[in-house]
C-alpha cells in the first residue's frame, strides 16, 4: 500500500457536502489552473472523495493483477458521476403496456378501438405523484394529454382513442405532485386534531408563489387567495382552522393548482411507443382462395377468365366470405415448366405453376393473357366490391427463367461457376421452374450492388395498389431478408396505411413473430397441424398471452394448395366441419382453399403412407369441379360465417378462455369482448363446444365459468343457441351436452349475464 498519501489540494463541489482530491499527487500542478471551490472534471485525472482514500487499492502499484482471486472492485465514483446522479430522475416509469420490445415495434389495434395504457409509476418516500398519458397521430405534432389514474400497487392507467387508420404514438410523463402532497398532509394533521396553523401559512405562501410564476397570473387563484385570507381571519376568532382547511383541501383549489403545476422532478419517457390502427378487416375476415384459371372450367384444357370468377361471386358471398384471394395471376414461364403432380416434364397443354412468374408476355406487373386484361381486372374488382368482398393478391418474390428481369437485370440473380443460372432450392428439393432474386447481390463485403432490386419490388406492390388492390398475401417471406420487409412495408404503409400484408411463413416461431413485429398485419399459423384438445389449448393460450397478443394476428387456414392435412385425409365430411368450426370460432381470421367445401382430400401416395399434398394438385393443372356435388359442406360454412359476423366476441382470437370438459374429445371455451378489447364492458359472452372426434358421438359434463362472470355457482342465466335461435335458461355451473358429428359437431351459445339472477336471492 502507498504510505503517507495526503491530499495536496481539495476540490469542493458546491452544495455537495463532499470533498474531492486527486488520486495521485503527480497531478497537483493542474489544480492551480482552477478556482478553488469550482467543480473540476478532467479526463486525465481521477478525483476521489476523501472518504474513499482509505483504500488505496486503486493506486497503480497496488491494483489487482489479472488472474488473481481478489474481489472485483468498481472504479470509485467521480464528481461527474455525482453530478449525473443529482440530475437523474427521481421518479421511475416501468413496464409500459402496450409495448412491443419496449417500444421498438408497433402494437396492433383496430381503428375505433380504445387503447388502454398501463405502467408502473413510483418515487421514493410517501409524497403524492401524478402521471399523464401523451398521445398523437404520427402526422400531428401536438400531443394530446390524458391524466392517468392510480390502480394500486404503483400501477397507473389511462386510455386514448384510435380515430384514424395508421400509426399513433404515445409516451408517459410523471412528476411529484407538490400541492396534492401538501393538502394530503394538511388533511391528515387536521383530522388528527394537530395544530395546522403553520401548515396553513406554508400552503398560503406556496399558492402565492404558484400564482406569481404562472403565465398569465390565474384569476381563479387570486380569488381563492382572497377567500383563504378571509377564512384565516374567521378561523382566528374560532381557533379551529376549519374554514381554511376546507378551502385548501377542496376540489376548487386542487383543480386551480393542478392547472398551474410546474411539475417538480418531472420525468418524460424518451420512447415514443407506436400503435398501428388497421382497418377492421385486418382483424376479422373470412378468406376464400381460388385459382381463377379453374373457374368455369368444363375440361382441363379450358382456361378460366376473370369473367368466370365474376360468375362465381354470388356463391362465394353466400358462404359468407369477405376476402377473395388469388394465387399469382401473372404470365407463367415455359422453361422447365412443371407438369401434372409436379412432374419435371410438362405436356403441351399443361398450364404450369402460377408461382413460376414471368414470360415474354411480362412479369410481376402483367396479367396472364388467358385470364384477361387490366380492364377485365378492373371490372372484376368492381364486381367483388359490389358483393361486399375484397381481392387479395399473392406477392411471390421469385421468377421463372423467362422473366424479363433475367434479360434486363442479370445482376439481380445468382449465377453458378459454369455460367448457369442458380435455380431455387431447399435441399434436397429443387425447383427447376423458379429462380430467386439475390437481395444482396455483390461480394458480401462491400455491400449490395443492386439496391434497384429493392425499389423495383416495392414498386410492384405500389403498382397493384394503383390498380385497386389493398391486401397482399406474401409467399414465403421468411426466406427473404427481414430488413427488406421492414423497409418495404414501412414504405408502402407510410403512403397507404390501409394496406394489409399476410405473411405465409410456416417456419420457426421466433421468425414468424419477428415478421409480425416488423410490419406484417396477419400471419399464417401452426393451427393447420393442431388437432388434439391439448395441442389446441396450448397454442391458443400462447397466442392470447403476452407478448404475442400485442402484435401477432393469427390467420387460421384449414388447408392450402400446398397443405392437405393428414386429419382431413382420414376424417371424412364431419372432419371438415370440425376444422372449419375450430378455425372460425377460435380466430377472427380464418381461410380455406377452394375444394374444402367439397371435402377434397385425395393425397399423393408415398409408399405405405400419404404426403400432405393433394393428388392432381391445382398448382399444376386446371381443376374441373361440380360445386353442388353431394356431401358438400357449403351450408355449414355459411352457418359458421353467419354466426361469426353476428357475434362481436368472435371477431378476434383474443378473449378466449378454455373451460373444463371431462371428455378429451370435447373442447369447451368462452370468448368475451371485454377480454379482446381495452376498456370494454362484459357485454358479449359466447360459449362454444366442439366435438373433435369426426366418427363418434361424444358426451361431456362441462363447467360454465360463472364465478369469472361475477355470478354464484348456482345462478340461473339466459342463453341463446346461435345455431337454432332457441332461448332458454341454464342453472348452475355444471352442464351436460352431447355432440353428434354426423349431425353437427359444434354448438354455440350467447350468454346474457345482464339477465342473470341468483335463485337463492329470489
Amino acid at each position: 500500500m502507498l504510505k503517507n498519501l495526503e491530499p495536496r489540494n481539495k476540490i469542493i463541489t458546491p452544495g455537495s457536502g463532499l470533498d474531492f482530491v486527486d488520486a495521485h499527487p503527480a497531478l497537483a500542478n493542474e489544480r492551480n489552473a482552477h478556482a478553488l471551490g469550482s467543480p473540476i472534471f478532467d479526463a486525465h485525472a481521477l478525483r476521489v472523495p476523501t472518504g474513499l482514500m482509505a483504500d488505496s487499492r486503486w493506486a497503480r502499484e497496488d491494483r489487482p493483477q489479472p488472474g488473481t482471486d481478489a474481489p472485483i472492485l468498481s472504479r470509485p465514483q467521480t464528481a461527474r458521476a455525482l453530478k449525473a446522479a443529482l440530475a437523474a430522475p427521481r421518479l421511475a416509469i416501468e413496464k409500459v403496456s402496450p409495448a412491443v420490445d419496449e417500444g421498438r415495434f408497433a402494437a396492433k389495434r383496430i381503428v375505433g378501438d380504445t387503447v388502454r395504457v398501463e405502467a408502473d409509476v413510483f418515487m421514493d418516500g410517501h409524497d403524492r405523484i401524478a402521471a399523464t398519458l401523451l398521445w398523437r397521430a404520427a402526422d400531428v405534432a401536438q400531443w394530446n394529454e390524458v391524466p392517468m389514474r392510480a390502480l394500486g400497487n404503483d400501477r397507473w392507467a389511462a386510455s386514448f382513442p384510435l380515430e384514424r387508420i395508421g400509426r399513433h404514438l404515445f409516451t408517459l410523463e410523471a412528476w411529484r405532485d407538490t400541492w396534492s402532497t401538501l393538502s394530503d398532509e394538511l388533511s391528515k394533521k387536521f383530522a388528527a386534531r394537530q395544530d395546522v396553523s403553520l401548515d396553513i401559512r406554508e400552503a398560503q405562501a406556496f399558492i402565492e408563489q404558484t400564482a406569481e410564476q404562472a403565465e398569465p397570473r390565474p384569476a381563479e387563484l387570486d380569488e381563492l387567495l382572497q377567500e383563504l385570507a378571509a377564512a384565516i381571519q374567521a378561523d382566528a376568532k374560532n381557533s379551529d382552522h376549519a374554514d381554511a382547511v376546507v378551502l385548501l383541501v377542496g376540489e376548487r383549489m386542487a383543480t386551480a393548482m393542478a392547472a398551474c403545476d410546474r411539475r417538480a422532478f418531472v420525468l418524460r419517457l424518451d420512447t415514443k411507443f407506436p400503435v398501428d390502427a388497421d382497418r377492421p378487416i385486418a382483424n376479422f375476415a373470412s378468406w376464400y382462395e381460388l385459382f381463377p384459371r379453374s373457374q368455369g372450367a368444363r375440361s382441363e384444357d379450358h382456361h378460366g377468365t376473370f369473367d368466370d370468377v365474376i360468375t362465381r361471386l354470388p356463391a362465394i358471398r353466400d358462404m359468407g366470405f369477405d376476402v377473395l384471394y388469388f394465387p399469382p395471376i401473372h404470365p407463367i414461364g415455359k422453361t422447365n415448366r412443371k407438369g401434372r403432380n409436379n412432374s419435371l416434364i410438362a405436356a403441351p397443354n399443361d398450364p404450369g405453376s402460377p408461382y413460376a412468374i414471368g414470360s415474354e408476355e411480362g412479369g410481376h406487373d402483367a396479367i396472364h393473357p388467358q385470364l384477361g386484361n387490366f380492364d377485365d381486372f378492373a371490372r372484376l374488382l368492381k364486381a367483388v366490391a359490389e358483393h361486399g368482398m375484397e381481392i387479395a393478391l399473392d406477392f411471390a418474390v421469385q421468377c421463372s427463367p423467362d422473366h424479363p428481369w433475367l434479360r434486363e437485370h442479370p445482376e439481380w440473380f445468382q449465377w453458378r461457376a459454369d455460367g448457369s443460372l442458380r435455380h431455387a432450392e431447399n435441399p434436397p428439393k429443387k425447383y427447376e421452374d423458379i429462380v430467386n432474386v439475390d437481395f444482396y447481390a455483390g461480394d458480401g463485403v462491400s455491400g449490395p450492388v443492386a439496391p434497384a432490386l429493392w425499389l423495383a419490388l416495392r414498386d410492384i406492390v405500389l403498382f397493384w395498389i394503383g390498380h385497386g388492390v389493398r391486401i397482399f398475401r406474401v409467399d414465403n417471406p421468411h426466406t427473404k431478408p427481414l430488413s427488406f420487409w421492414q423497409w418495404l412495408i414501412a414504405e408502402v404503409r407510410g403512403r397507404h396505411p390501409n394496406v394489409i400484408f399476410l405473411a405465409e411463413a410456416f417456419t420457426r416461431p421466433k421468425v414468424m413473430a419477428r415478421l409480425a413485429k416488423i410490419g406484417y398485419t396477419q400471419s399464417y399459423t401452426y393451427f393447420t397441424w393442431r388437432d388434439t384438445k391439448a395441442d389446441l389449448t396450448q397454442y391458443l393460450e400462447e397466442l392470447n398471452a403476452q407478448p404475442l397478443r400485442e402484435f401477432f394476428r393469427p390467420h387460421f387456414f384449414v388447408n392450402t394448395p400446398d397443405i392437405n392435412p393428414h386429419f382431413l385425409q382420414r376424417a371424412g365430411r364431419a372432419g371438415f366441419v370440425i376444422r372449419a368450426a375450430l378455425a372460425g370460432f377460435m380466430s377472427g381470421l380464418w381461410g380455406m382453399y377452394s375444394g374444402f367445401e367439397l371435402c377434397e382430400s385425395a393425397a399423393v401416395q408415398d409408399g405405405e403412407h400419404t404426403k400432405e399434398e393433394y393428388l392432381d394438385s391445382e398448382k399444376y393443372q386446371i381443376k374441373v369441379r361440380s360445386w353442388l356435388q353431394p356431401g358438400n359442406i357449403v351450408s355449414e360454412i355459411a352457418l359458421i360465417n353467419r354466426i361469426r359476423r353476428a357475434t362481436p366476441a368472435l371477431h378476434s382470437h383474443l378473449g378466449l378462455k378454455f373451460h373444463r370438459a371431462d371428455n378429451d374429445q370435447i373442447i369447451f371455451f368462452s370468448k368475451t369482448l371485454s377480454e379482446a378489447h381495452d376498456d370494454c364492458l362484459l357485454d358479449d359472452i359466447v360459449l362454444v363446444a366442439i366435438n373433435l372426434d369426426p366418427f363418434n358421438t361424444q358426451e361431456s359434463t362441462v363447467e360454465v365459468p360463472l364465478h369469472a362472470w361475477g355470478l354464484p355457482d348456482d345462478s340461473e342465466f339466459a342463453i341463446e343457441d346461435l345455431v337454432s335461435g332457441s332461448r332458454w335458461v341454464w342453472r348452475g355451473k355444471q352442464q351436460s351436452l352431447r355432440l353428434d358429428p354426423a349431425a353437427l359437431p359444434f354448438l354455440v351459445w350467447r350468454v346474457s349475464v345482464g339477465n342473470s339472477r341468483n335463485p337463492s336471492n329470489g
Side-chain angles (χ1 to χ4, degrees):
M1 302 285 287
L2 288 178
K3 304 298 183 182
N4 301 320
L5 181 61
E6 295 183 1
R8 305 286 181 85
N9 184 35
K10 286 188 177 180
I11 303 164
I12 311 295
T13 303
S16 69
L18 290 176
D19 293 346
F20 288 79
V21 301
D22 286 328
H24 200 285
L27 300 171
N29 291 335
E30 292 186 26
R31 306 182 200 112
N32 296 327
H34 302 277
L36 184 64
S38 299
I40 300 176
F41 304 107
D42 193 307
H44 303 288
L46 174 64
R47 293 176 170 82
V48 187
T50 55
L52 299 179
M53 291 305 296
D55 183 356
S56 60
R57 191 182 293 273
W58 285 98
R60 292 179 182 174
E61 294 86 345
D62 207 38
R63 290 177 184 167
Q65 298 300 311
T68 69
D69 59 357
I72 299 171
L73 303 181
S74 299
R75 186 178 291 273
Q77 296 292 297
T78 66
R80 187 187 301 274
L82 175 60
K83 185 177 181 181
L86 289 168
R90 189 175 173 186
L91 288 94
I93 303 176
E94 301 176 345
K95 296 184 180 179
V96 179
S97 69
V100 180
D101 287 5
E102 298 182 339
R104 184 177 178 186
F105 305 106
K108 292 184 174 71
R109 297 293 189 272
I110 296 300
V111 66
D113 280 355
T114 297
V115 180
R116 178 184 173 91
V117 177
E118 292 190 11
D120 292 345
V121 186
F122 54 91
M123 68 173 288
D124 57 275
H126 303 287
D127 290 354
R128 294 291 190 94
I129 63 173
T132 189
L133 163 67
L134 301 157
W135 69 275
R136 61 181 173 86
D139 60 353
V140 175
Q142 183 67 37
W143 290 99
N144 301 286
E145 189 166 332
V146 181
M148 301 188 78
R149 64 186 184 279
L151 303 177
N153 196 26
D154 293 325
R155 193 69 175 166
W156 292 66
S159 301
F160 70 94
L162 299 176
E163 298 171 343
R164 299 166 57 199
I165 293 173
R167 175 67 53 90
H168 294 68
L169 303 169
F170 75 86
T171 192
L172 302 177
E173 184 171 296
W175 61 95
R176 178 184 182 271
D177 191 338
T178 306
W179 176 254
S180 180
T181 300
L182 189 153
S183 62
D184 180 58
E185 292 175 351
L186 175 62
S187 179
K188 290 177 179 177
K189 290 180 180 180
F190 184 73
R193 299 182 180 278
Q194 296 178 5
D195 181 13
V196 293
S197 55
L198 183 58
D199 300 88
I200 292 173
R201 286 173 54 195
E202 290 174 343
Q204 185 179 28
F206 182 68
I207 298 168
E208 179 60 41
Q209 180 188 38
T210 301
E212 289 177 356
Q213 294 172 343
E215 289 290 343
R217 185 180 175 101
E220 177 68 10
L221 275 187
D222 282 336
E223 182 178 332
L224 286 166
L225 280 168
Q226 292 175 8
E227 294 180 24
L228 178 59
I232 293 174
Q233 274 191 337
D235 289 340
K237 299 176 182 178
N238 302 326
S239 302
D240 63 359
H241 307 296
D243 291 345
V245 171
V246 169
L247 182 64
L248 287 169
V249 303
E251 190 65 31
R252 282 180 60 211
M253 186 67 77
T255 301
M257 291 297 287
C260 302
D261 195 343
R262 300 189 68 190
R263 299 189 175 182
F265 301 104
V266 65
L267 168 64
R268 178 182 291 195
L269 295 180
D270 292 331
T271 303
K272 298 176 179 63
F273 297 88
V275 179
D276 281 343
D278 291 308
R279 298 188 284 146
I281 202 171
N283 199 61
F284 174 70
S286 304
W287 284 43
Y288 185 86
E289 177 180 3
L290 63 77
F291 285 76
R293 68 187 185 187
S294 291
Q295 308 312 301
R298 293 177 291 276
S299 71
E300 293 182 2
D301 295 327
H302 182 271
H303 197 290
T305 67
F306 289 146
D307 285 340
D308 291 319
V309 176
I310 292 175
T311 302
R312 283 270 293 137
L313 293 180
I316 297 170
R317 176 206 58 201
D318 290 347
M319 282 190 287
F321 289 99
D322 310 289
V323 176
L324 185 59
Y325 155 49
F326 296 161
I329 59 173
H330 315 298
I332 299 171
K334 294 182 179 179
T335 300
N336 298 331
R337 176 176 285 190
K338 294 293 185 72
R340 291 169 60 100
N341 288 308
N342 201 20
S343 65
L344 298 179
I345 299 176
N349 292 331
D350 285 344
S353 168
Y355 289 90
I357 298 170
S359 72
E360 61 183 12
E361 290 140 334
H364 286 76
D365 56 355
I367 292 174
H368 194 294
Q370 289 182 277
L371 290 175
N373 55 35
F374 279 98
D375 289 338
D376 300 323
F377 185 72
R379 188 170 61 254
L380 170 63
L381 282 180
K382 184 174 182 292
V384 169
E386 290 172 348
H387 284 79
M389 295 183 287
E390 284 193 50
I391 288 285
L393 285 190
D394 203 312
F395 182 41
V397 185
Q398 57 204 36
C399 304
S400 85
D402 303 325
H403 197 290
W405 283 353
L406 271 295
R407 300 187 304 273
E408 299 167 0
H409 301 284
E411 71 276 12
W412 291 357
F413 300 87
Q414 291 185 345
W415 302 85
R416 309 200 70 172
D418 62 358
S420 63
L421 186 64
R422 183 180 295 278
H423 293 276
E425 295 182 4
N426 183 14
K429 293 182 179 179
K430 293 185 177 181
Y431 305 93
E432 295 85 352
D433 59 337
I434 292 173
V435 295
N436 289 324
V437 297
D438 185 355
F439 284 88
Y440 292 100
D443 58 14
V445 177
S446 58
V449 298
L453 168 64
W454 291 37
L455 295 171
L457 291 169
R458 177 205 64 184
D459 290 346
I460 290 298
V461 176
L462 295 176
F463 173 84
W464 287 104
I465 291 173
H467 283 277
V469 179
R470 293 295 182 272
I471 305 178
F472 296 90
R473 178 267 199 188
V474 180
D475 190 64
N476 289 322
H478 58 291
T479 62
K480 286 78 178 175
L482 295 170
S483 56
F484 165 74
W485 291 123
Q486 188 168 5
W487 168 81
L488 180 142
I489 293 172
E491 280 277 297
V492 172
R493 284 177 56 89
R495 308 178 193 193
H496 305 281
N498 59 346
V499 169
I500 292 168
F501 289 94
L502 166 62
E504 186 259 353
F506 296 110
T507 183
R508 303 182 305 281
K510 290 181 176 61
V511 178
M512 294 170 70
R514 184 70 173 197
L515 287 166
K517 289 178 183 179
I518 63 177
Y520 273 93
T521 322
Q522 307 169 354
S523 304
Y524 278 64
T525 68
Y526 301 129
F527 166 80
T528 315
W529 298 277
R530 301 292 189 264
D531 49 36
T532 69
K533 183 175 181 177
D535 285 348
L536 288 164
T537 300
Q538 183 274 330
Y539 192 45
L540 267 296
E541 287 178 344
E542 177 184 340
L543 293 173
N544 267 262
Q546 296 286 1
L548 288 179
R549 65 177 289 126
E550 298 293 355
F551 63 88
F552 189 89
R553 288 201 189 103
H555 204 314
F556 285 5
F557 263 83
V558 290
N559 68 331
T560 77
D562 292 303
I563 304 172
N564 178 12
H566 284 127
F567 179 88
L568 294 180
Q569 293 176 26
R570 62 178 185 269
R573 182 181 185 278
F576 282 78
V577 179
I578 290 169
R579 294 301 291 175
L582 288 168
F585 296 142
M586 286 184 163
S587 176
L589 298 163
W590 85 287
M592 54 171 273
Y593 153 56
S594 60
F596 181 89
E597 70 269 46
L598 304 180
C599 304
E600 293 178 354
S601 61
V604 174
Q605 199 70 27
D606 184 18
E608 297 181 358
H609 305 285
T610 58
K611 296 182 177 181
E612 281 192 326
E613 299 175 14
Y614 284 99
L615 184 64
D616 299 328
S617 170
E618 198 171 1
K619 284 180 62 177
Y620 309 105
Q621 67 188 69
I622 292 172
K623 197 87 167 177
V624 180
R625 293 184 174 96
S626 172
W627 297 108
L628 297 178
Q629 69 186 41
N632 70 73
I633 60 169
V634 170
S635 61
E636 286 84 354
I637 292 171
L639 172 63
I640 290 169
N641 280 333
R642 176 180 62 78
I643 293 173
R644 279 166 47 85
R645 191 180 299 273
T647 311
L650 298 176
H651 291 189
S652 169
H653 69 289
L654 300 176
L656 185 151
K657 292 187 182 299
F658 292 97
H659 307 295
R660 188 180 67 81
D662 59 12
N663 183 340
D664 281 344
Q665 293 299 326
I666 299 287
I667 194 164
F668 182 58
F669 59 91
S670 65
K671 297 190 83 173
T672 57
L673 197 62
S674 59
E675 290 285 340
H677 294 271
D678 297 335
D679 287 356
C680 184
L681 298 176
L682 191 68
D683 60 352
D684 190 34
I685 305 173
V686 176
L687 291 172
V688 181
I690 301 175
N691 182 357
L692 302 178
D693 181 355
F695 306 110
N696 302 293
T697 298
Q698 297 288 342
E699 298 180 354
S700 180
T701 298
V702 298
E703 185 171 303
V704 180
L706 296 181
H707 179 73
W709 303 337
L711 300 175
D713 288 346
D714 59 349
S715 294
E716 288 186 355
F717 53 98
I719 66 166
E720 176 188 1
D721 185 335
L722 298 183
V723 174
S724 67
S726 301
R727 299 171 185 265
W728 59 90
V729 173
W730 277 358
R731 176 172 181 155
K733 66 178 184 178
Q734 302 289 342
Q735 300 292 329
S736 298
L737 55 85
R738 183 176 188 271
L739 291 169
D740 179 0
L744 193 68
F746 65 84
L747 287 170
V748 187
W749 305 272
R750 178 181 285 113
V751 180
S752 298
V753 172
N755 295 329
S756 305
R757 61 185 179 89
N758 184 353
S760 62
N761 294 333

